[in-house]
Amino acid sequence: MIYRITNNTAPAVALDDIPVVSYAAFYDDLAARLRDERYHVAHYFALPDEAETHLRFFCLLLDDAAAEVLLTSFVMDYYAECPLPSLTALHPQLHPFEREIAERWGVRFEGMPWPKPLRFPCDRADRTSTIDNYPFYKMEGRALHEVNVGPIHAGIIEPGAFRFICNGENVLHLEIALGYQHRGTERLMTATDNRLQQVLLAESAAGDSSVAHATAFAEAVEKLTDGAAAAAALAPERAVAIELERMAMQIADTGALCMDTGYQLGQVACEALRTMTINTTQAWGGNRFGKGLIRPAGTDHPLTAEKAAMIRGNAAEIARRYAEVCHDLRTSPSLLARFEQCGIVPRTEMVRIGGVGQAARASGVARDIRTTHPWGLYAGQPGRETITEEEGDVMARLSVRCRETAQAAALIDRLLDGFAPAAPVRPDYDAPLRPASLAFGLVEGWRGETCHVAVTDSAGRIAAYRIKDPSLHNWMALALAVRGEGISDFPICNKSFNLSYCGHDL
């Protein structure tokens, strides 16, 4: 039994309308569907009932071919000793979800091939499980050695441990351990009824994706408050904000790749262009990273004709100059020698691990929420091209960045050509939420598929909130990318993904 949501803008679903099936039925149905590439899991989590006697598991499954979101659930005794058969054993894309459920609620998954902590949250079931006794994978051999990088890194990046097992310079295995900074973002979402505080938390889930996360929150809340009309009125502005964020970060990552290969001219050029992009966002809304632009059912920074002209002109100039950088990169033999055939993630592996976003598209997996599950302005663009590459290497991931930046600038140009501002729509922080309901926001941020899920109680309060940054899926892709590579190639492999520590360590 499945509840079908036929478009990404449908209103919230009453909890009583979401089917409750047996775990056996859930397991069989999900295992069968995930054999088909058209399906992948957007979110899968468990929540206790008010009496804390049972856990109800919710699964949001995306059908990319039919543009549907499939909802189902099952219930188990909170204190049940009987383990559940692991779906990860069949479909590795389930591993972060089953690990999170096991860590938070103590549920055991029989046959789980990687039963390891995911985040070390403060409310984890096993308090003896700490970052200090993380069970790193071991390989024995006289010729093998381990190299540990982190958790403290140079610069301002956040903590994460990278444990390499090498034979000489050749990487045999990389294990990535995160969870050094559990910030309690999801818990804080339910600790307040102040809608403004909640959106501030949402846009801080991952600082380089503020617009994407704030938009996902706004969409979820608007589905709970019948704010569809306001969302439709704001659709062009939200699309412009998301595409500006996409341009800024794709250009920044291009510069980071140049830096790690010693190509200083490309690095400096990209730094200048990224600055121009985020300064454009700041001139619009007062913050370089777009914080404050997206608010539920409204905005405090409506787009004026003057600002629209400024954004349009800047985006065109940035795209023109960035195209020159991309041309130089594509025609540099020394850079091509480093980027091509390095850090390959084959298409089959990307599908198996549930990869999303630009990383998946660089391996030929055409997953893009703007196309498969469009929302807002994207819903009115049939035939939109999803940019893919086939090689799955560092160069392919760079090529996707170059092409998506040009595509974003072209979309901004079309949206703002002859832009006529409508009457300002002010945010609504007080609209009552539908009680006992589930709503989600599903957005294609620059890094990929961003999913927020809000569940309300019988009084209409947010009782549970779950955030999924695309990095949750793609950290495993990075681990696969460096297998068989020289350890000195790790920096460019890492930069070619540029995943979020804080987006994982919620």
Side-chain angles (χ1 to χ4, degrees):
M1 296 173 62
I2 292 285
Y3 186 95
R4 295 180 180 273
I5 299 175
T6 56
N7 66 73
N8 195 3
T9 59
V13 181
L15 295 180
D16 287 344
D17 291 339
I18 301 174
V20 178
V21 301
S22 68
Y23 183 70
F26 172 84
Y27 179 98
D28 290 343
D29 183 70
L30 193 58
R33 290 183 189 273
L34 291 179
R35 295 190 190 103
D36 190 332
E37 187 182 314
R38 68 187 281 178
Y39 297 103
H40 72 279
V41 176
H43 223 317
Y44 174 36
F45 57 91
L47 300 174
D49 60 12
E50 293 185 8
E52 295 191 355
T53 58
H54 292 85
L55 287 172
R56 186 174 180 183
F57 295 68
F58 296 90
C59 182
L60 282 74
L61 184 68
L62 302 188
D63 183 342
D64 292 340
E68 292 182 337
V69 181
L70 310 182
L71 283 177
T72 190
S73 69
F74 67 91
V75 175
M76 70 173 290
D77 191 309
Y78 198 161
Y79 303 99
E81 296 294 329
C82 181
L84 301 175
S86 172
L87 277 158
T88 300
L90 295 177
H91 301 291
Q93 67 170 282
L94 269 297
H95 86 86
F97 303 113
E98 288 192 344
R99 289 167 63 196
E100 192 270 344
I101 291 168
E103 181 176 36
R104 192 183 295 241
W105 306 113
V107 177
R108 292 185 298 129
F109 290 96
E110 188 174 47
M112 168 64 163
W114 209 24
K116 300 192 177 194
L118 186 73
R119 292 188 174 122
F120 300 97
C122 62
D123 55 354
R124 60 191 180 276
D126 182 2
R127 299 306 297 270
T128 67
S129 174
T130 70
I131 197 71
D132 294 326
N133 57 30
Y134 182 86
F136 282 100
Y137 182 73
K138 297 288 185 182
M139 294 174 68
E140 302 294 336
R142 295 183 61 184
L144 305 183
H145 67 281
E146 291 185 351
V147 178
N148 189 68
V149 178
I152 305 303
H153 301 276
I156 60 171
I157 63 175
E158 294 167 350
F162 299 84
R163 182 76 61 88
F164 299 85
I165 301 177
C166 302
N167 185 350
E169 291 293 309
N170 191 48
V171 177
L172 303 181
H173 178 75
L174 166 62
E175 188 160 353
I176 303 167
L178 304 170
Y180 286 85
Q181 49 162 12
H182 189 85
R183 298 171 294 145
T185 304
E186 294 174 337
R187 176 182 283 270
L188 288 170
M189 280 287 204
T190 64
T192 179
D193 293 326
N194 187 306
R195 203 77 46 80
L196 176 57
Q197 290 180 4
Q198 289 170 338
V199 72
L200 291 173
L201 287 167
E203 66 184 10
S204 300
D208 57 12
S209 304
S210 296
V211 175
H213 279 284
T215 302
F217 170 82
E219 287 189 356
V221 167
E222 286 158 0
K223 291 174 181 179
L224 287 164
T225 59
D226 299 319
L234 294 163
E237 297 183 25
R238 289 182 178 178
V240 169
I242 286 174
E243 298 305 324
L244 274 176
E245 182 172 76
R246 193 181 317 279
M247 290 180 66
M249 294 312 304
Q250 305 294 34
I251 293 170
D253 286 352
T254 304
L257 281 167
C258 292
M259 177 180 66
D260 279 357
T261 51
Y263 182 45
Q264 190 173 15
L265 178 61
Q267 174 196 349
V268 171
C270 287
E271 286 177 352
L273 292 175
R274 181 225 183 212
T275 299
M276 186 175 177
T277 311
I278 61 178
N279 284 352
T280 300
T281 301
Q282 183 177 37
W284 175 8
N287 183 277
R288 295 187 303 162
F289 300 103
K291 292 186 175 182
L293 274 179
I294 310 299
R295 292 292 180 260
T299 179
D300 291 319
H301 302 280
L303 194 56
T304 64
E306 293 76 17
K307 288 183 177 180
M310 177 270 297
I311 293 169
R312 187 185 182 203
N314 287 1
E317 177 63 13
I318 293 163
R320 184 189 67 79
R321 292 164 57 182
Y322 179 64
E324 295 176 356
V325 176
C326 292
H327 177 267
D328 291 344
L329 296 177
R330 293 191 182 104
T331 56
S332 169
S334 60
L335 290 177
L336 293 177
R338 290 297 308 279
F339 293 162
E340 290 184 336
Q341 300 300 301
C342 178
I344 296 174
V345 183
R347 188 180 193 282
T348 53
E349 289 302 300
M350 192 62 80
V351 172
R352 274 168 45 82
I353 66 172
V356 297
Q358 61 186 24
R361 295 192 287 276
S363 294
V365 182
R367 283 186 182 150
D368 188 329
I369 296 300
R370 294 171 294 176
T371 302
T372 60
H373 296 78
W375 76 99
L377 175 116
Y378 300 104
Q381 296 187 52
R384 179 191 164 277
E385 178 192 9
T386 296
I387 292 172
T388 61
E389 297 285 345
E390 300 299 326
E391 292 77 11
D393 57 7
V394 172
M395 189 63 206
R397 291 187 281 276
L398 174 59
S399 181
V400 169
R401 283 184 165 85
C402 292
R403 295 172 63 192
E404 288 199 350
T405 300
Q407 185 186 58
L411 176 58
I412 290 172
D413 184 68
R414 289 198 304 272
L415 285 175
L416 299 182
D417 184 13
F419 177 79
V425 182
R426 296 300 178 190
D428 185 352
Y429 299 119
D430 300 314
L433 305 180
R434 291 188 181 187
S437 298
L438 180 149
F440 61 86
L442 194 60
V443 171
E444 187 71 22
W446 71 268
R447 194 178 268 120
E449 177 183 304
T450 304
C451 182
H452 285 218
V453 184
V455 179
T456 58
D457 61 18
S458 56
R461 297 183 69 255
I462 295 180
Y465 200 86
R466 294 290 182 268
I467 299 171
K468 188 203 71 178
D469 186 87
S471 300
L472 186 74
H473 296 286
N474 290 346
W475 279 112
M476 180 61 74
L478 173 59
L480 295 175
V482 299
R483 287 187 180 179
E485 302 292 348
I487 195 168
S488 60
D489 284 325
F490 171 70
I492 62 173
C493 290
N494 188 22
K495 290 294 195 306
S496 72
F497 287 94
N498 191 11
L499 304 177
S500 175
Y501 297 83
C502 62
H504 181 282
D505 290 354
L506 297 166

